């Protein structure tokens, strides 16, 4: 785990090939995404590391319900009773009324090269025993509730990677939490910088590209992605987004 403070109240934590973020203000902590199941100890540790108690967690914002973003949620909810908010459509995904994720065949295909084999091994270890993890307490975001959380947020619906994927803008410090709708690196990508995840990760590629283009127009000076380092962004300059065709 590696913690980077990217603005007055925002900390980005790199876990197992995935990020979560902590937004700390006087009234408590908002957690954005929650790592793989195997990152649960690191998620709890990161909250203490920035000077808070686990009980300070006021809410968990979820960009989408893939296993590498929901790992510590059950433990956080159990220990704090904190509410979990995500996009209305993503609530159904979080409850596993359906599942949109990389197929087993696509996982096997990754074994064809060294970077892929390493990623598959790390992923298998990070989810072992927790493949059925879900978020039964997820509820749909409401504008007034999000605005009142530590940090203060605006939801930005960004379907494509999953049908209910939702990014979050924090206007007070111009930070955009883009989740997997716009990332800056991934172990399975050779490209560095703003990009879409490889197509086999995205439920609908056209929607994913449209959502990334929408995010590029947000008034954000810092982009905090689900994968890869946080990036500075000049909202007045066009953002070049790499994607595989
Ligand atoms: Zn994802």
């Amino acid at each position: 785990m590696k913690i980077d403070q990217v603005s007055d109240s925002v900390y980005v934590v790199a876990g197992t090939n995935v990020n979560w973020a902590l937004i700390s203000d006087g009234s408590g902590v908002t957690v954005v995404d929650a790592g793989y199941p195997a990152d649960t100890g690191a998620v709890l540790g990161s909250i203490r590391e920035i000077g808070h108690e686990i009980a300070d967690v006021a809410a968990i914002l979820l960009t989408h319900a893939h296993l590498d973003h929901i790992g510590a949620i059950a433990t956080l909810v159990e220990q704090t009773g904190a509410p979990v908010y995500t996009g209305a459509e993503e609530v159904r995904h979080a409850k596993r009324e359906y599942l949109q994720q990389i197929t087993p065949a696509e996982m096997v295909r990754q074994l064809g090269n060294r970077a892929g084999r390493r990623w598959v091994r790390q992923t298998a270890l990070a989810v072992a025993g927790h493949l059925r993890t879900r978020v039964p307490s997820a509820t749909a975001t409401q504008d007034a509730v999000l605005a009142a959380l530590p940090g203060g947020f605006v939801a930005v619906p960004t379907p494509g990677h999953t049908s209910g994927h939702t990014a979050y803008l924090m206007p007070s410090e111009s930070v955009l939490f883009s989740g997997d709708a716009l990332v800056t690196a991934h172990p399975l990508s050779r490209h560095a910088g703003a990009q879409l995840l490889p197509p086999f990760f995205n439920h609908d590629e056209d929607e994913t590209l449209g959502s990334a283009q929408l995010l590029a127009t947000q008034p954000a000076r810092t982009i905090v992605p689900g994968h890869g380092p946080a990036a500075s962004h000049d909202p007045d300059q066009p953002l070049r987004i790499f994607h595989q065709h």
Side-chain angles (χ1 to χ4, degrees):
M1 155 176 96
K2 178 172 167 287
I3 305 181
D4 272 326
Q5 184 172 8
V6 299
S7 70
D8 283 349
S9 7
V10 178
Y11 300 81
V12 181
V13 191
T16 308
N17 295 330
V18 69
N19 302 325
W20 58 92
L22 307 173
I23 299 88
S24 155
D25 77 4
S27 65
V29 178
T30 301
V31 178
V32 178
D33 290 344
Y36 276 106
D39 289 316
T40 297
V43 171
L44 300 182
S46 67
I47 294 166
R48 296 191 188 98
E49 193 92 0
I50 65 162
H52 279 278
E53 315 265 340
I54 305 305
D56 294 341
V57 172
I60 300 145
L61 289 186
L62 182 61
T63 60
H64 68 295
H66 280 156
L67 269 177
D68 51 338
H69 298 255
I70 64 173
I73 291 182
T75 301
L76 286 171
V77 169
E78 194 182 289
Q79 295 194 7
T80 67
V84 182
Y85 300 114
T86 191
E89 179 61 35
E90 200 63 15
V91 168
R92 300 179 54 222
H93 193 212
K95 294 181 176 180
R96 291 298 186 258
E97 291 177 17
Y98 61 84
L99 181 58
Q100 298 175 334
Q101 71 177 13
I102 182 173
T103 63
E106 205 48 78
M107 289 288 282
V108 168
R109 217 162 292 157
Q110 303 312 314
L111 296 171
N113 64 72
R114 185 190 295 231
R117 281 193 291 278
R118 184 179 153 86
W119 177 78
V120 169
R121 188 175 63 244
Q122 290 172 336
T123 301
L125 287 171
V127 302
H130 298 276
L131 280 173
R132 290 169 179 275
T133 301
R134 60 185 76 196
V135 189
S137 69
T139 56
T141 57
Q142 290 170 20
D143 295 352
V145 173
L146 246 59
L149 292 177
F153 303 89
V154 177
V156 186
T158 37
H161 179 68
T162 63
S163 296
H165 189 288
T166 304
Y168 300 95
L169 180 68
M170 181 179 156
S172 60
E173 295 177 14
S174 299
V175 180
L176 176 66
F177 301 90
S178 60
D180 286 6
L182 180 64
V183 305
T184 59
H186 190 276
L188 298 185
S189 165
R190 289 191 192 132
H191 190 79
Q195 60 190 286
L196 303 193
L197 283 169
F200 47 78
F201 283 121
N202 302 325
H203 180 67
D204 184 312
E205 190 68 9
D206 288 346
E207 278 191 347
T208 304
L209 181 58
S211 288
Q213 285 163 342
L214 171 70
L215 289 180
T217 67
Q218 297 296 307
R221 300 207 162 268
T222 306
I223 297 175
V224 175
H227 303 273
S232 302
H233 172 52
D234 178 350
D236 297 326
Q237 296 295 321
L239 180 69
R240 221 174 243 280
I241 300 166
F242 174 83
H243 62 106
Q244 294 172 33
H245 296 278

